[in-house]
Amino acid sequence: NSLKQLNEKQLFEEIEKLRRELFSLKLAVVSSPPKDVTQFSKLRKSIARALTYLQEKQSNVMQEEVK
């Protein structure tokens, strides 16, 4: 997966980008029905995936500091 190859800063940026997309999608639904309702779950899963990779990277750094 391409998210695995990103560093922490890039993951933060990607998470923010995905959250903005989700927010704008929610706003768009108010004015008109979505073309693809699965887009919500796809974005939420992508955010969760990115947060998981970020947490893994941060825990790896913490473990290496303890050694």
Side-chain angles (χ1 to χ4, degrees):
N1 198 343
S2 64
L3 289 175
K4 271 189 176 181
Q5 298 161 350
L6 300 178
N7 63 30
E8 285 186 44
K9 183 175 185 262
Q10 292 169 324
L11 277 170
F12 275 122
E13 292 169 358
E14 184 67 20
I15 291 166
E16 286 305 310
K17 184 186 90 158
L18 290 169
R19 284 181 173 162
R20 280 192 299 273
E21 275 184 56
L22 183 60
F23 181 74
S24 62
L25 186 62
K26 286 179 182 179
L27 288 178
V29 166
V30 173
S31 61
S32 64
K35 295 177 182 102
D36 183 13
V37 292
T38 62
Q39 194 71 13
F40 289 103
S41 61
K42 288 176 184 176
L43 279 171
R44 284 195 300 268
K45 286 178 184 180
S46 294
I47 292 169
R49 197 173 293 118
L51 285 169
T52 301
Y53 289 136
L54 179 62
Q55 187 176 5
E56 281 179 13
K57 287 183 183 295
Q58 289 174 340
S59 70
N60 287 341
V61 169
M62 294 292 275
Q63 287 176 355
E64 290 188 15
E65 287 177 1
V66 171
K67 289 182 183 177

